[in-house]
Amino acid sequence: MKIKKLIIGNWKMYPASLKDAKAKFTAIKKVAGKLANVQTVICPPLVYVSEIKKFVSGRRIVVGAQNAWFETEGAFTGEVSIAMLASVGAEYVIVGHSERRAIGESDELINKKVLAGVKAGMTIVLCVGERERDPDGVYLKFITEQIKEALHGVQKKELKKIVIAYEPIWAIGKNAIHPASPDDALEVSILIKRTLADLYGKDGSVIQVLYGGSVDSKNAWEFILKSQVNGLLVGRASLDPKIFGEILKSADTIK
Ligand code: PEP
């Protein structure tokens, strides 16, 4: 069976009103709903998830979350659990985004979230990536360790519920130093696949690998074609339905 390209929009803490979120989702759905070769996922702020979910019809565009807590319920003021998100219809959850690691999320906590997500039947979008590149290639070891620690305890039969997004921190967001090149992404997509093969043998190949960092409507096709990834994690550009629609359409045309 042909695997669809997976394009995930991470809306971060935008937009400021539910009304705008609904309007953006509806506009994106108009395009995504027509594309047979793309699985679109929108990850709005947590508070909008269940409202946006009401606009989902069919499978071509679904809803995910940007973060969640690993315990099912309990005295965790201000937190929302993965199980709760699953119960309101979120199907994906981003774990280990660099903006969360930057505010203190450890590899250990990320591993707990991965395990809880798998248990709740969610698809986990595990983000990995280095802060900077060094000429000796220490960053490659760093990424390998991030993957090993995050997947500790994940069983072979659970691997189809894991997606790994390579997001070099230096190439993400409006403070990006410079965009990554498709070759930069290719190097790490190969590393990720090799690490998965070391951990799980050929079963590791069911894990989809994505690229994320300053993707826009002009470079999306290049990353997909040249970096041997199965899709993209898109931040800023996913908030503009016109630009995101172009990204989705270009992914749909790549065989
Ligand atoms: C992200 O934060 O996940 C991301 C990829 O951001 P951007 O596309 O804006 O660089």
Side-chain angles (χ1 to χ4, degrees):
M1 200 181 72
K2 197 167 161 296
I3 300 177
K4 292 182 178 207
K5 298 285 176 284
L6 177 59
I7 310 292
I8 303 178
N10 170 16
W11 281 3
K12 310 195 184 203
M13 205 175 74
Y14 300 100
S17 76
L18 176 60
K19 187 165 170 265
D20 281 358
K22 286 178 179 172
K24 283 184 193 297
F25 185 84
T26 308
I28 292 168
K29 187 182 158 186
K30 271 196 191 127
V31 177
K34 295 194 185 103
L35 307 178
N37 303 317
V38 176
Q39 176 64 61
T40 303
V41 181
I42 295 295
C43 300
L46 283 182
V47 71
Y48 300 153
V49 168
S50 52
E51 282 297 315
I52 295 291
K53 169 71 187 167
K54 293 180 189 159
F55 288 74
V56 171
S57 52
R59 297 291 315 148
R60 288 185 178 170
I61 176 166
V62 299
V63 177
Q66 301 168 21
N67 177 44
W69 193 244
F70 65 92
E71 302 275 5
T72 305
E73 53 187 6
F76 301 101
T77 303
E79 295 291 353
V80 171
S81 76
I82 292 177
M84 288 169 184
L85 282 161
S87 82
V88 297
E91 298 183 38
Y92 289 72
V93 61
I94 298 173
V95 172
H97 192 280
S98 57
E99 288 158 9
R100 302 224 43 101
R101 292 183 192 258
I103 53 171
E105 285 204 7
S106 64
D107 283 325
E108 196 189 343
L109 177 59
I110 289 163
N111 175 243
K112 286 182 176 158
K113 292 185 178 192
V114 169
L115 295 173
V118 167
K119 197 168 149 222
M122 284 260 214
T123 299
I124 308 299
V125 183
L126 169 66
C127 297
V128 297
E130 76 284 7
R131 181 159 300 284
E132 57 189 12
R133 289 198 165 196
D134 58 290
D136 301 325
V138 174
Y139 65 96
L140 298 171
K141 177 127 188 19
F142 177 80
I143 295 166
T144 306
E145 283 310 307
Q146 280 188 324
I147 295 170
K148 286 186 175 164
E149 300 208 17
L151 297 185
H152 187 75
V154 175
Q155 308 299 311
K156 279 186 179 175
K157 62 176 190 312
E158 295 163 336
L159 296 180
K160 55 180 188 307
K161 289 295 206 178
I162 309 274
V163 172
I164 298 185
Y166 170 51
E167 294 218 313
I169 298 171
W170 48 270
I172 293 179
K174 62 180 186 326
N175 297 325
I177 301 169
H178 58 83
S181 69
D183 278 347
D184 293 328
L186 173 63
E187 179 190 39
V188 177
S189 80
I190 293 171
L191 173 80
I192 293 172
K193 289 171 196 170
R194 220 177 50 208
T195 305
L196 294 171
D198 287 348
L199 290 172
Y200 297 106
K202 65 175 176 9
D203 296 286
S205 64
V206 299
I207 294 187
Q208 298 187 57
V209 179
L210 312 183
Y211 169 74
S214 299
V215 171
D216 59 29
S217 52
K218 295 186 192 71
N219 62 20
W221 68 272
E222 263 198 306
F223 281 114
I224 297 178
L225 263 184
K226 299 187 184 167
S227 309
Q228 292 177 21
V229 291
N230 194 56
L232 303 164
L233 178 53
V234 185
R236 286 158 295 163
S238 68
L239 282 147
D240 182 324
K242 191 162 177 296
I243 296 175
F244 196 55
E246 294 302 320
I247 294 172
L248 295 175
K249 283 190 258 177
S250 61
D252 191 62
T253 58
I254 296 169
K255 295 288 169 273

